[in-house]
Amino acid sequence: MKLSHFQFNLPVELLAEYPAENRDESRLMVIDRKKGTIEHKMFKDVIDYFGDGDVMILNNTKVFPARMYGNKEKTGARIEVFLLRELNAEQRLWDVLVDPARKIRIGNKLYFGDDDSLVAEVIDNTTSRGRTLRFLYDGSYEEFRNKLTELGETPIPKYINREVTEEDAERYQTIYAKEEGAVAAPTAGLHFSKHLLKRLEIKGVDFAEVTLHVGLGTFNPVEVEDLSKHKMDSEELKINQLACDIVNNAKAKKKRICCVGTTSMRAIESSVSSQRTLNPFDGWTNKFIFPPYDFSIADAMITNFHTPKSTLLMMISAFCGHDLMKKAYEEAIKEGYKFYSYGDAMLII
């Protein structure tokens, strides 16, 4: 498969700027791979496809308020700082992206907050927009992290061309988010309400939680026609023994195993044994799934609608089958489904 196979025209009005009023009332397209059928439902109808002993794999990563705005010393220029990952807690070193990057050089200082209560010094260049910052703050580590949270805002994707609202802090987060560390939400999970999770639980569905801290690399454009030459950014991944036991027991009993989101799928496919069971994992993954690909564990997945040429679309093509995926996307555009982070969902069985 080549990059050009994943190009399609996406009308700009189908990019969702806001979430559905209720989490579980977005639209749901259901694709049956065996029958080749496409049905149109509401997300809460997902419950009709799962029963006692089936498993849903959830990514419990939690988005932190990663986007901050500071002022450059002397000039006072407003600089966006996007926190990617903490490099050293003791020295308060962070890997960040800055915008506009051309103005930010090693040795520059940035001031944050109305009272300049947080200062950062640029100590290294990592990429064209990437920098390493050392934060200077009088206070304990806990107070420093609280200050970052206070000054940061919810990192909704750039295509959402509006100011961040209070609602985003809640809605750009799954209701089962626990482990802080993501700079983007695992968006398929945004459709689950507490009520829907409870109903699934009552029906006997089990949940296995993994933690994949979503980085911005997930959204990096693929710029090579030959997909085998694309390199994914590494993201931190943890899978514990409990999650493995839940998944492997269901697999042994031939129950349905559904990954909620491309991040959950990448997580489990990064740690498969030679017997095609799930292994515990604690480390980093740069797994890139594109067709053709032989999936080892999940036989269903829930996902949002993705943008052209994205690595996410490539995974869906590998799981769904390329022609059926194309047909589904053509139908989604015709039917006015909403795309991307706050958009509608798809269940592939």
Side-chain angles (χ1 to χ4, degrees), residues 78-121:
R78 187 174 192 246
I79 305 293
E80 179 189 307
V81 173
F82 196 100
L83 302 172
L84 292 176
R85 62 175 71 105
E86 186 174 53
L87 299 173
N88 184 311
E90 208 178 311
Q91 295 181 36
R92 297 179 187 172
L93 295 183
W94 280 76
D95 185 13
V96 307
L97 295 177
V98 291
D99 192 20
R102 65 183 185 281
K103 297 181 173 181
I104 303 301
R105 298 191 173 91
I106 293 171
N108 287 161
K109 284 200 169 80
L110 297 169
Y111 293 84
F112 300 89
D114 296 337
D115 54 356
D116 295 344
S117 55
L118 183 63
V119 183
E121 184 181 4

Side-chain angles (χ1 to χ4, degrees), residues 202-232:
I202 290 165
K203 208 172 172 188
V205 174
D206 288 323
F207 299 97
E209 295 188 10
V210 298
T211 306
L212 179 79
H213 290 317
V214 190
L216 282 186
T218 295
F219 308 112
N220 278 355
V222 179
E223 290 169 338
V224 284
E225 183 66 10
D226 178 354
L227 301 185
S228 65
K229 293 194 165 53
H230 178 69
K231 294 281 183 286
M232 292 286 280

Side-chain angles (χ1 to χ4, degrees), residues 287-304:
K287 183 87 174 167
F288 175 31
I289 297 173
F290 61 95
Y293 185 86
D294 182 19
F295 291 84
S296 299
I297 292 170
D299 52 11
M301 80 180 292
I302 293 168
T303 185
N304 279 25

Side-chain angles (χ1 to χ4, degrees), residues 1 23 31 40 75 85 89 95 102 106 119 121 138 161 180 220 224 244-245 268 274 295 297 310:
M1 299 293 280
R23 283 181 186 266
I31 299 173
H40 304 289
T75 66
R85 62 175 71 105
D95 185 13
R102 65 183 185 281
I106 293 171
V119 183
E121 184 181 4
D138 294 329
N161 199 9
E180 190 170 86
N220 278 355
V224 284
C244 295
D245 292 344
I268 64 168
S274 54
F295 291 84
I297 292 170
S310 61

Side-chain angles (χ1 to χ4, degrees), residues 61-72:
T61 188
K62 189 174 187 181
V63 179
F64 66 93
R67 189 175 278 127
M68 302 167 66
Y69 294 94
N71 297 99
K72 192 179 167 190

Side-chain angles (χ1 to χ4, degrees), residues 66-297:
R67 189 175 278 127
M68 302 167 66
Y69 294 94
N71 297 99
K72 192 179 167 190
E73 64 178 337
K74 297 183 182 145
T75 66
R78 187 174 192 246
I79 305 293
E80 179 189 307
V81 173
F82 196 100
L83 302 172
L84 292 176
R85 62 175 71 105
E86 186 174 53
L87 299 173
N88 184 311
E90 208 178 311
Q91 295 181 36
R92 297 179 187 172
L93 295 183
W94 280 76
D95 185 13
V96 307
L97 295 177
V98 291
D99 192 20
R102 65 183 185 281
K103 297 181 173 181
I104 303 301
R105 298 191 173 91
I106 293 171
N108 287 161
K109 284 200 169 80
L110 297 169
Y111 293 84
F112 300 89
D114 296 337
D115 54 356
D116 295 344
S117 55
L118 183 63
V119 183
E121 184 181 4
V122 182
I123 63 167
D124 198 8
N125 295 331
T126 51
T127 61
S128 58
R129 287 180 56 215
R131 303 289 183 271
T132 303
L133 295 189
R134 177 185 285 120
F135 283 98
L136 313 168
Y137 182 73
D138 294 329
S140 68
Y141 177 72
E142 195 180 344
E143 288 167 334
F144 163 64
R145 288 302 299 247
N146 289 341
K147 179 56 79 171
L148 288 186
T149 300
E150 176 198 319
L151 293 172
E153 66 177 35
T154 305
I156 59 173
K158 279 280 195 189
Y159 81 87
I160 296 180
N161 199 9
R162 59 169 173 80
E163 291 294 308
V164 173
T165 66
E166 272 181 43
E167 185 193 30
D168 289 315
E170 183 214 341
R171 294 299 301 273
Y172 195 63
Q173 195 82 273
T174 63
I175 57 165
Y176 47 78
K178 290 191 185 93
E179 304 293 333
E180 190 170 86
V183 299
T187 53
L190 298 179
H191 303 283
F192 285 89
S193 62
K194 285 197 173 101
H195 181 61
L196 180 57
L197 278 184
K198 188 45 111 182
R199 286 176 63 214
L200 285 161
E201 207 179 294
I202 290 165
K203 208 172 172 188
V205 174
D206 288 323
F207 299 97
E209 295 188 10
V210 298
T211 306
L212 179 79
H213 290 317
V214 190
L216 282 186
T218 295
F219 308 112
N220 278 355
V222 179
E223 290 169 338
V224 284
E225 183 66 10
D226 178 354
L227 301 185
S228 65
K229 293 194 165 53
H230 178 69
K231 294 281 183 286
M232 292 286 280
D233 282 7
S234 290
E235 294 171 322
E236 196 175 357
L237 169 62
K238 288 186 176 69
I239 303 173
N240 63 25
Q241 188 63 53
L242 174 62
C244 295
D245 292 344
I246 293 169
V247 169
N248 294 336
N249 289 340
K251 190 171 163 63
K253 292 174 185 166
K254 298 198 163 26
K255 295 293 185 181
R256 178 168 276 172
I257 297 171
C258 178
C259 273
V260 177
T262 55
T263 61
S264 298
M265 186 68 86
R266 280 186 64 224
I268 64 168
E269 287 293 327
S270 297
S271 192
V272 177
S273 75
S274 54
Q275 282 82 41
R276 295 167 78 86
T277 56
L278 186 60
N279 279 342
F281 191 98
D282 188 350
W284 296 75
T285 178
N286 62 352
K287 183 87 174 167
F288 175 31
I289 297 173
F290 61 95
Y293 185 86
D294 182 19
F295 291 84
S296 299
I297 292 170

